[in-house]
Amino acid sequence: MRREAVREYLASALWAMPTCAVALALIAGAGLSAVQLGAAPPLAVLLFQGTSDDARNLLIGIASTMVTVIAVVLGLTVVALQLASTQFSPRLLRNFLRDIPNQVTLSTFMATFAYSTAGLYTVGIAGGQRTQDYPRLAVSGALLLLFVSMIMLVYFAHHLAHSIQVDQVMKRVETATLKVIERSFVPGDPTLRMPNPPPGATALPAPRSGYVQAFHVEAFVGALASRGLTAQMVPMVGRHVVAGAPLAWVWASAGEGPLAPDAGAELRRALVQSVRIGYERTLEQDVAFGIRQLADVASKALSPAINDPYTANQAVDHLGSILAALALRQHGPQAVADAQGTIRLHVPARDFAYLVDLALGQVRRYGANEPRVVRALLRVCRDLLWFGDAAHHAVVRRYVETLLSDVTRRVAQPADREPLLAEGAAVLKAFDVPGGTTGAD
């Protein structure tokens, strides 16, 4: 759990990769400075041909240039972060910080600066005295890094211009969310009902305040099995918990009496190892967080200050892809068993109705009076007919009925309202046809 937390933090730490690049540049510079070349080395034409003073001036020029370039890159990065926060959603900032091309570009510039600056301590200086001998190979390496940095600067401008486009932003969120569904989604049981802790149950408090980022309950289930206990997690992934509030309820199989002091301490240690709590939500196991990001983009586009229904339609299209992937899976609480097959832990989870409302509910409430947005919502609902089972279709059908009710109340112009109601009626009719093979048009 701790290792995953460190990896998750470093992935969005803008300083981590540049720091490693600086260390590698210093090591490479020290290694190249120790290489002694003969009078006529192979490929001598590719090595720096100037004097030691020329070499020092070159390194000074490269170092000063890199300082300016780094300042420009950081300034552009801040502008991109500000634009993403104000124009799209503040929850997208983490995606920009985790962007590998941005980290690689900044690392290249930092490595070039560190390499050139460190070379000033050796080039043309020996034992504190000026000398004409200097490591030509190391100086040639500085020139190579300079050319690489210039290429990366052009690439950075190209990448930044594309990364702040709304299409690219939403596609990146969709891709990341689909990866979470593919790799981390745990199927639930829609028919499972979370048990009510008996009167003798013991609460295990949350060690700190924050958002539940991930569950890895193997250690907790093992501790429960060793003492014949049953437990229920209180929050689900993505929910906020307060330090000292119940994080889990534990009780004996017969529901008798409080836990022994040593058992409570052991279970608290196992719970800390099984639940990661952080100051922010992450996308590691939280599918709802990816949906929230796209829903925020759509909601902001429909705000009176922006009035951009086409961007909202694009967000709805990406949400449709995520909902289609979710409709192929079963949602609900999970019952985790031990090695002997005895259920030891109940974990709450979001159902499909919650996810549909999270994805499309705000768009419906803010955009039900805009015909283009309503048509986009109906299109997504009709596409969902091809995914999932009858339970999933029932959820989507209820959403369409609510949407048409909003259209009836909020679209005043009959010329706009009647075609939308007719299209919605066709979608509802498609739900009554087995497989949705007819009537969807």
Side-chain angles (χ1 to χ4, degrees):
M1 182 69 72
R2 186 179 299 109
R3 183 171 58 251
E4 290 186 358
V6 172
R7 183 168 61 246
E8 185 71 19
Y9 168 74
L10 292 179
S12 58
L14 200 58
W15 59 267
M17 189 180 294
T19 301
C20 295
V22 168
L24 291 176
L26 295 177
I27 294 173
L32 293 177
S33 297
V35 176
Q36 300 295 329
L37 301 176
L43 302 178
V45 68
L46 298 180
L47 299 179
F48 185 73
Q49 302 296 317
T51 64
S52 61
D53 287 339
D54 295 334
R56 288 184 64 83
N57 291 333
L58 174 66
L59 295 178
I60 292 173
I62 293 176
S64 60
T65 300
M66 285 300 104
V67 170
T68 303
V69 171
I70 291 171
V72 171
V73 168
L74 291 177
L76 292 176
T77 302
V78 170
V79 170
L81 294 177
Q82 184 180 14
L83 177 63
S85 176
T86 58
Q87 188 71 19
F88 306 132
S89 169
R91 276 156 287 280
L92 292 172
L93 293 181
R94 185 178 178 86
N95 297 349
F96 283 88
L97 292 176
R98 294 171 65 93
D99 192 21
I100 296 299
N102 290 344
Q103 296 184 9
V104 171
T105 300
L106 185 59
S107 300
T108 302
F109 297 154
M110 291 295 295
T112 304
F113 171 78
Y115 184 95
S116 303
T117 304
L120 295 175
Y121 285 90
T122 58
V123 173
I125 301 293
Q129 302 296 324
R130 299 297 299 272
T131 178
Q132 294 301 316
D133 296 328
Y134 65 94
R136 295 181 182 273
L137 186 60
V139 175
S140 302
L143 277 174
L144 177 62
L145 284 175
L146 177 63
F147 282 108
V148 172
S149 297
M150 293 302 101
I151 295 174
M152 291 300 298
L153 180 61
V154 176
Y155 170 75
F156 174 77
H158 164 82
H159 175 74
L160 186 65
H162 283 273
S163 65
I164 60 178
Q165 292 180 355
V166 65
D167 305 84
Q168 183 67 24
V169 170
M170 291 190 290
K171 181 61 179 178
R172 188 184 305 168
V173 175
E174 177 195 335
T175 302
T177 307
L178 291 176
K179 287 182 179 179
V180 174
I181 298 174
E182 185 67 27
R183 299 175 182 177
S184 304
F185 183 83
V186 179
D189 184 357
T191 63
L192 181 66
R193 294 295 177 264
M194 296 289 289
N196 293 321
T202 299
L204 299 181
R208 66 181 66 88
S209 298
Y211 292 92
V212 177
Q213 296 177 340
F215 284 146
H216 296 284
V217 298
E218 294 81 4
F220 190 46
V221 171
L224 293 170
S226 66
R227 295 182 175 271
L229 302 173
T230 305
Q232 173 187 328
M233 301 300 300
V234 175
M236 60 185 70
V237 172
R239 287 290 173 84
H240 187 270
V241 295
V242 179
L247 185 59
W249 288 97
V250 182
W251 61 91
S253 299
E256 300 177 354
L259 298 178
D262 60 333
E266 178 187 353
L267 290 173
R268 281 191 290 270
R269 288 193 298 269
L271 187 61
V272 170
Q273 296 174 4
S274 301
V275 181
R276 189 169 78 236
I277 300 175
Y279 67 94
E280 62 180 343
R281 293 179 70 175
T282 64
L283 202 57
E284 183 180 353
Q285 294 183 358
D286 191 1
V287 176
F289 185 52
I291 296 176
R292 165 58 59 198
Q293 291 176 335
L294 288 172
D296 283 351
V297 174
S299 299
K300 185 162 288 190
L302 292 174
S303 66
I306 297 178
N307 286 325
D308 185 9
Y310 182 68
T311 296
N313 289 359
Q314 290 179 292
V316 168
D317 292 336
H318 290 286
L319 287 167
S321 300
I322 296 174
L323 291 176
L326 290 172
L328 298 175
R329 292 162 171 81
Q330 294 298 319
H331 304 264
Q334 296 113 33
V336 184
D338 59 16
Q340 286 71 39
T342 303
I343 294 177
R344 295 295 180 187
L345 178 64
H346 293 82
V347 182
R350 298 172 176 87
D351 57 16
F352 187 66
Y354 176 92
L355 296 174
V356 170
D357 183 71
L358 178 66
L360 305 178
Q362 282 185 321
V363 183
R364 171 182 60 80
R365 288 185 284 272
Y366 296 148
N369 58 344
E370 171 52 51
R372 294 185 183 275
V373 175
V374 174
R375 288 193 174 92
L377 293 172
L378 292 174
R379 181 174 64 250
V380 167
C381 293
R382 182 171 56 185
D383 291 341
L384 290 177
L385 280 170
W386 302 99
F387 304 91
D389 54 21
H392 296 92
H393 294 170
V395 171
V396 181
R397 181 188 182 95
R398 288 195 297 270
Y399 175 84
V400 174
E401 293 172 347
T402 305
L403 174 62
L404 296 181
S405 176
D406 286 345
V407 169
T408 302
R409 292 185 299 103
R410 299 179 57 184
V411 180
Q413 178 58 251
D416 293 329
R417 182 178 63 249
E418 298 307 324
L420 296 178
L421 296 178
E423 186 173 346
V427 174
L428 290 176
K429 182 180 178 181
F431 282 99
D432 298 327
V433 179
T437 54
T438 60
D441 295 324

